[in-house]
Structures are given as C-alpha cells and as structure tokens.
C-alpha cells in the first residue's frame, strides 16, 4: 500500500504532475474519506482549516468539482513550493 503509512496513521498524497515553483497549492480532504471506524475524517482545528489560511482558501468554493460543496470539505490547507532555480540566476 503506497498511499497510507500504518505505523503513524498517515495518508500520503503525491502530485501526479510536477508542481510549479513558488506557487501556492491547496490540499482538500472531503468527508468522503473515512477513518478506521467508518466515520468521516475531520480537521485538527476548530474549523475546516487553520484561521491563518482562511484568506488563501477563499477561492475554494469556485474550484470544487461539480456536486461537491464547502460542506463536504473536512480539512483543507495550503502550502507553497520553493524555488529550485533562484540560486542559479
């Protein structure tokens, strides 16, 4: 199984295409992902995301797949890739 690490109960997500450098991306986990007890996963925070990322996640409602609403989102966070070329320039 290459998408889950049993020892630490960690879901492993890998991009299918190379990511652009210095670009912010979001990871969105919906309530369709269930835990071992068959319950929807949740956020470790009081809200779906950490409050410091609310603004960065604001466009989320406009890019969710058809049939998926913000109520379906269990957890979301953003991250920004580093530059691999800036030191060379």
């Amino acid at each position: 199984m290459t998408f889950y690490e049993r020892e630490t109960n960690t879901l492993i997500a890998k991009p299918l295409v190379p990511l652009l450098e210095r670009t912010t991306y979001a990871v969105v986990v919906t309530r369709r992902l269930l835990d071992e007890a068959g319950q929807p996963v949740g956020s470790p925070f009081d809200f779906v995301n950490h409050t410091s990322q609310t603004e960065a996640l604001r466009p989320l409602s406009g890019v969710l797949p058809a049939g998926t609403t913000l109520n379906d989102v269990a957890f979301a966070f953003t991250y920004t890739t580093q530059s691999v070329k800036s030191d060379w320039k």
Side-chain angles (χ1 to χ4, degrees):
M1 184 166 39
T2 60
F3 61 88
Y4 190 74
E5 207 288 319
R6 289 182 190 270
E7 187 174 323
T8 60
N9 293 325
T10 301
L11 180 67
I12 301 168
K14 297 179 184 179
L16 298 176
V17 296
L19 302 178
L20 299 174
E21 64 181 69
R22 295 182 180 180
T23 302
T24 299
Y25 293 91
V27 174
V28 180
V29 179
T30 68
R31 297 186 191 288
R32 291 182 214 129
L33 181 63
L34 306 177
D35 65 15
E36 291 177 313
Q39 298 299 310
V41 297
S43 171
F45 307 113
D46 291 336
F47 305 100
V48 169
N49 58 276
H50 189 277
T51 55
S52 68
Q53 294 194 342
T54 299
E55 193 59 37
L57 290 166
R58 197 164 305 281
L60 190 56
S61 63
V63 297
L64 290 173
T68 304
T69 68
L70 288 177
N71 289 331
D72 297 320
V73 176
F75 179 49
F77 64 92
T78 64
Y79 65 95
T80 303
T81 55
Q82 295 181 338
S83 172
V84 294
K85 296 187 252 180
S86 64
D87 288 344
W88 299 346
K89 294 180 181 178

